[in-house]
């Protein structure tokens, strides 16, 4: 424990003065530099006047979405600071041209973050989703939390009851209990539904905040090259329960290409290898 933690009182569970705000999405952002003095290298920040109750790693799967990332960072640093979060931002970039594997990148982000700092909460978020209300707490809860439950692009409704994509929050304990994500989802879709199955199999349930509070912007975009729909996902989801203890954090292997400390984030570029031969 350092000097500062000894002296400062705990931050309140719910900071005061939270409510709706306007997400900045205009083109100007591209040229704007975030004026933020409370940011040492790596995109790590903590409240000045109190000790945060959680240490939060925010993990973003990434490849070739520079503009979305700029807009996300521009909005999310002030957002997280308003919530008095102690947080670090990890952008995990898939190296190479192979099929995108969102879930494996998120496992890599967890592993790298946990080795770097004493994080006890992990928020896995797409680069193109930005909350519209400061009451949408980027925090962990008693159960894994689904946070992208009120997106503007779906008219602020859930597409189906068990949807678990976009933004989710897991305490370290909860994430270890499900052995992280599956590493076997190459291409778009299904890895989030599979994670939902893991949560249920592990005897947990998911939480959501009210849809009024969790309103968020999700940018419209076309499908990325290299992230075509995964034809194997339905078969994989069906066997989630039997695979979960051998496919995930405990079977994760990867090669770090680089770890770069930018001012607003830590970028981890990683070679995640080739798809496995068999699917289960
Ligand atoms: N991602 C990248 N690069 C890629 C692919 C995905 O960074 O090439 C990341 C990024 O963080 C993204 C997330 O993975 O937010 C999820 O991928 P997505 O945004 O493509 O997923 P979404 O469900 O896509 O939003 C729907 C496909 C678009 C179909 C459009 C038809 N109208
Ligand atoms: Mn998207």
């Amino acid at each position: 424990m350092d000097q500062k933690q000894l002296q400062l009182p705990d931050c309140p569970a719910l900071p005061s003065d939270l409510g709706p705000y306007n997400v900045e999405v205009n083109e100007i952002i591209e040229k704007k530099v975030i004026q933020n003095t409370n940011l040492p290298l790596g995109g790590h920040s903590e409240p000045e006047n109190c000790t945060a109750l959680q240490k939060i790693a925010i993990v973003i799967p990434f490849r070739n979405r520079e503009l979305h990332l700029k807009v996300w960072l521009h909005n999310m640093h002030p957002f997280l600071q308003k919530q008095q979060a102690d947080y670090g931002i990890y952008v995990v970039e898939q190296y190479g041209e192979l099929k995108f594997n969102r879930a494996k990148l998120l496992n890599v982000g967890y592993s790298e973050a946990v080795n770097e700092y004493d994080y006890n909460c992990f928020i896995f978020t797409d680069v193109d989703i930005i909350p519209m209300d400061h009451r949408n707490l980027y925090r962990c809860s008693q159960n894994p939390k689904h946070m992208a439950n009120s997106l503007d692009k779906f008219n602020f409704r859930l597409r189906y009851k068990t949807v678990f994509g976009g933004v989710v929050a897991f305490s370290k304990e909860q994430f270890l209990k499900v052995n992280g994500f599956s590493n076997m989802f190459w291409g778009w879709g299904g890895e989030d539904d599979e994670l939902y199955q893991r949560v249920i199999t592990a005897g947990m349930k998911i939480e959501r905040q009210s849809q009024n509070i969790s309103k968020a912007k999700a940018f419209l975009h076309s499908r990325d090259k290299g992230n075509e729909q995964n034809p194997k996902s339905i078969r994989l989801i069906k066997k989630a329960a039997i695979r979960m203890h051998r496919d995930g954090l405990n079977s994760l292997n990867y090669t770090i290409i680089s770890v770069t400390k930018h001012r607003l984030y830590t970028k981890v570029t990683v070679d995640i290898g080739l798809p496995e031969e068999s699917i289960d």
Side-chain angles (χ1 to χ4, degrees):
M1 208 183 270
D2 61 31
Q3 253 339 71
K4 190 183 158 214
Q5 279 174 315
L6 284 173
Q7 287 159 6
L8 293 175
D10 284 354
C11 296
L14 190 68
S16 56
D17 189 28
L18 303 181
Y21 77 103
N22 288 324
V23 175
E24 287 199 43
V25 290
N26 52 34
E27 318 72 52
I28 306 164
I29 286 169
E30 205 176 353
K31 296 181 194 98
K32 228 171 176 176
V33 179
I34 303 172
Q35 298 301 322
N36 199 325
T37 50
N38 186 21
L39 281 172
L41 277 180
H44 180 261
S45 170
E46 56 193 296
E48 268 173 34
N49 305 315
C50 56
T51 301
L53 300 172
Q54 298 187 7
K55 296 181 178 185
I56 306 164
I58 308 227
V59 184
I60 306 177
F62 185 82
R63 185 166 71 185
N64 197 23
R65 293 278 199 101
E66 300 300 338
L67 183 53
H68 283 170
L69 179 61
K70 259 179 198 156
V71 176
W72 191 93
L73 292 165
H74 177 85
N75 284 280
M76 291 307 288
H77 276 295
F79 177 91
L80 292 161
Q81 286 170 22
K82 178 100 179 160
Q83 293 190 346
Q84 297 187 310
D86 176 344
Y87 69 93
I89 310 274
Y90 294 82
V91 174
V92 189
E93 177 182 54
Q94 182 170 335
Y95 174 80
E97 310 281 308
L98 285 177
K99 277 270 171 70
F100 196 69
N101 187 331
R102 175 179 178 272
K104 192 166 181 181
L105 293 171
L106 295 174
N107 280 344
V108 171
Y110 167 87
S111 305
E112 291 297 306
V114 100
N115 283 335
E116 197 173 83
Y117 189 63
D118 195 13
Y119 293 111
N120 52 22
C121 172
F122 296 82
I123 298 187
F124 303 102
T125 175
D126 285 359
V127 72
D128 51 15
I129 298 178
I130 299 176
M132 296 161 65
D133 192 308
H134 288 117
R135 289 171 297 173
N136 183 351
L137 283 182
Y138 271 49
R139 297 275 162 88
C140 286
S141 203
Q142 292 306 100
N143 285 285
K145 194 159 92 177
H146 179 232
M147 301 172 70
N149 59 324
S150 186
L151 301 181
D152 60 351
K153 73 172 178 181
F154 301 129
N155 289 319
F156 306 107
R157 294 207 184 93
L158 279 187
R159 278 176 304 144
Y160 50 98
K161 215 177 155 216
T162 62
V163 65
F164 198 48
V167 188
V168 294
F170 281 77
S171 70
K172 186 175 175 181
E173 201 187 7
Q174 291 157 2
F175 201 59
L176 288 172
K177 221 166 166 181
V178 298
N179 195 21
F181 282 88
S182 166
N183 298 308
M184 297 170 76
F185 284 73
W186 300 83
W188 185 88
E191 80 293 344
D192 46 356
D193 297 316
E194 206 268 8
L195 185 65
Y196 178 81
Q197 292 304 323
R198 288 177 180 232
V199 169
I200 300 305
T201 305
M204 297 182 286
K205 54 183 184 177
I206 65 166
E207 284 181 22
R208 296 187 177 110
Q209 287 190 284
S210 88
Q211 281 177 308
N212 181 37
I213 284 174
S214 51
K215 280 185 177 168
K217 273 201 182 304
F219 302 131
L220 295 171
H221 59 82
S222 50
R223 198 180 294 282
D224 299 277
K225 202 166 151 272
N227 197 25
E228 293 73 24
Q229 190 154 2
N230 178 5
K232 294 179 178 172
S233 67
I234 290 174
R235 267 193 291 163
L236 284 167
I237 294 164
K238 279 196 183 133
K239 295 196 174 168
I242 55 168
R243 239 190 18 259
M244 111 174 188
H245 293 293
R246 60 183 160 86
D247 164 27
L249 292 175
N250 67 357
S251 65
L252 178 65
N253 57 61
Y254 59 89
T255 308
I256 294 291
I257 302 286
S258 61
V259 177
T260 317
K261 295 284 174 187
H262 295 270
R263 191 168 65 93
L264 302 181
Y265 59 100
T266 297
K267 187 168 196 178
V268 177
T269 302
V270 60
D271 182 345
I272 55 171
L274 298 166
E276 315 72 15
E277 287 290 305
S278 83
I279 74 143
D280 52 15

